[in-house]
Amino acid sequence: MDKDNAPLLAKLKWINYIRFSCDTPETRCAVENAVTLLRKNGYAGHPFVYVLVTDVSTANATCEFLRLLGCDPFAQAYQDYTGEDKRTHEQKRFCRFVNNKAVFKSCKWKDYK
């Protein structure tokens, strides 16, 4: 995302969500810059941001950061290519919390039962 393509993306009418990925804490700054550029160019939507869940506390910090940015996070627990399901119960539970928007918008992870 840069100052040249942000105005073009912000004006698109045929796309419901502009999608980003924020898989590590290091990518938060890039996502924040992209969302800021889009908003400066008239985008009023809520960007859809994929969040890779390996460590739940890190993923929660990322989702809270995205919440403050006005983004719509979508959590995906990490799975390798072996086909074996190694997702933990906590990862699955966190993904269910984030991806159920009524729940995510009404409470914080620490309060989720």
Side-chain angles (χ1 to χ4, degrees):
M1 179 71 59
D2 61 27
K3 63 182 170 93
D4 296 324
N5 62 19
L8 300 172
L9 284 172
K11 292 177 184 158
L12 289 177
K13 300 297 181 200
W14 55 269
I15 192 166
N16 291 335
Y17 289 102
I18 294 177
R19 293 171 173 85
F20 296 104
S21 177
C22 193
D23 292 337
T24 64
E26 294 78 24
T27 58
R28 290 180 197 163
C29 184
V31 170
E32 181 177 23
N33 289 337
V35 170
T36 301
L37 276 172
L38 285 170
R39 295 231 168 92
K40 282 182 182 177
N41 285 282
Y43 181 72
H46 301 279
F48 190 86
V49 183
Y50 295 98
V51 177
L52 183 64
V53 180
T54 50
D55 175 63
V56 172
S57 62
T58 302
N60 183 49
T62 298
C63 288
E64 289 303 319
F65 169 79
L66 294 170
R67 183 195 308 252
L68 292 174
L69 270 181
C71 295
D72 190 11
F74 183 84
Q76 295 176 301
Y78 174 77
Q79 281 190 278
D80 60 21
Y81 293 104
T82 63
E84 187 179 341
D85 188 0
K86 296 180 183 177
R87 298 173 295 167
T88 66
H89 176 70
E90 186 181 26
Q91 286 173 322
K92 291 177 186 178
R93 195 168 163 267
F94 180 75
C95 291
R96 189 169 35 254
F97 160 73
V98 171
N99 299 339
N100 184 332
K101 295 309 169 194
V103 174
F104 182 71
K105 291 179 180 183
S106 67
C107 70
K108 303 280 184 167
W109 170 240
K110 65 182 173 83
D111 302 320
Y112 179 65
K113 303 283 183 218

